Amino acid sequence: MSYVSSLYHIVFTTYRRKPVITDGYRHNLYAVIAEEIKSLKSKALIINGTQDHIHILLNLHQSIALAEIMRNIKSKSSVWMKTSGLFPLFEGWEKEYGAFSLSAGHKEAVYAYILDQQNHHAVNALENEYRRLVMKAGLQVYSADK
């Protein structure tokens, strides 16, 4: 039997980071995303975010590529958001996303961090948060004008 642990902290934003994910229907969107993740044999441990971005703590199934699950999450949720009528200002998702692998030992801390997104972003800007996550993962932050 194979034993595989593929935990990811995923972050993606609305097109041009427009604040279009309304509080009243946010959890409906998260349910759609969780169902798509489940359909790909993976598990969303928590999904949360704010009006302009989403965080997911994901346990990715060993047979599914990260790029595939992200393509499906964005595609299915985008179609649902546009046809549901619940998010009339939604234009789509940005192409890019962040996916940061983590060990099982960090799972609870990342879970708590994602759970507290509304409070966190009351005092921390998304740009600063994203830059910190990218740098913490040992990756290079690229400027938008390059």
Side-chain angles (χ1 to χ4, degrees):
M1 171 177 270
S2 299
Y3 295 96
V4 178
S5 175
S6 292
L7 293 172
Y8 287 94
H9 176 191
I10 296 170
V11 184
F12 59 101
T13 63
T14 58
Y15 180 69
R16 296 188 180 187
R17 295 186 179 163
K18 291 183 180 178
V20 298
I21 303 172
T22 54
D23 291 340
Y25 300 109
R26 181 175 301 176
H27 293 287
N28 301 69
L29 170 60
Y30 299 163
V32 168
I33 293 171
E35 190 59 36
E36 182 57 28
I37 290 169
K38 185 178 177 182
S39 78
L40 293 169
K41 302 186 263 185
S42 300
K43 184 175 182 183
L45 303 175
I46 186 171
I47 302 172
N48 200 7
T50 64
Q51 293 180 327
D52 65 353
H53 73 282
I54 292 179
H55 290 259
I56 303 172
L57 179 55
L58 172 72
N59 190 350
L60 184 65
H61 189 272
Q62 65 193 27
S63 67
I64 304 297
L66 180 62
E68 176 185 357
I69 203 164
M70 288 308 301
R71 181 176 50 254
N72 285 24
I73 288 170
K74 286 181 168 187
S75 175
K76 297 286 172 75
S77 64
S78 183
V79 168
W80 180 82
M81 289 176 80
K82 289 177 180 178
T83 60
S84 72
L86 302 176
F87 304 93
L89 301 176
F90 178 76
E91 296 179 44
W93 301 109
E94 285 289 353
K95 286 189 235 179
E96 297 82 12
Y97 62 88
F100 310 101
S101 60
L102 60 134
S103 68
H106 289 100
K107 181 171 75 172
E108 294 305 317
V110 172
Y111 185 99
Y113 170 76
I114 293 173
L115 182 64
D116 196 40
Q117 280 299 290
Q118 283 72 28
N119 291 326
H120 178 77
H121 285 293
V123 294
N124 296 297
L126 173 60
E127 294 79 15
N128 297 336
E129 170 192 39
Y130 198 68
R131 179 178 297 275
R132 183 187 61 76
L133 288 170
V134 170
M135 291 173 64
K136 187 175 180 181
L139 302 170
Q140 185 175 356
V141 178
Y142 290 99
S143 170
D145 54 336
K146 283 188 178 181

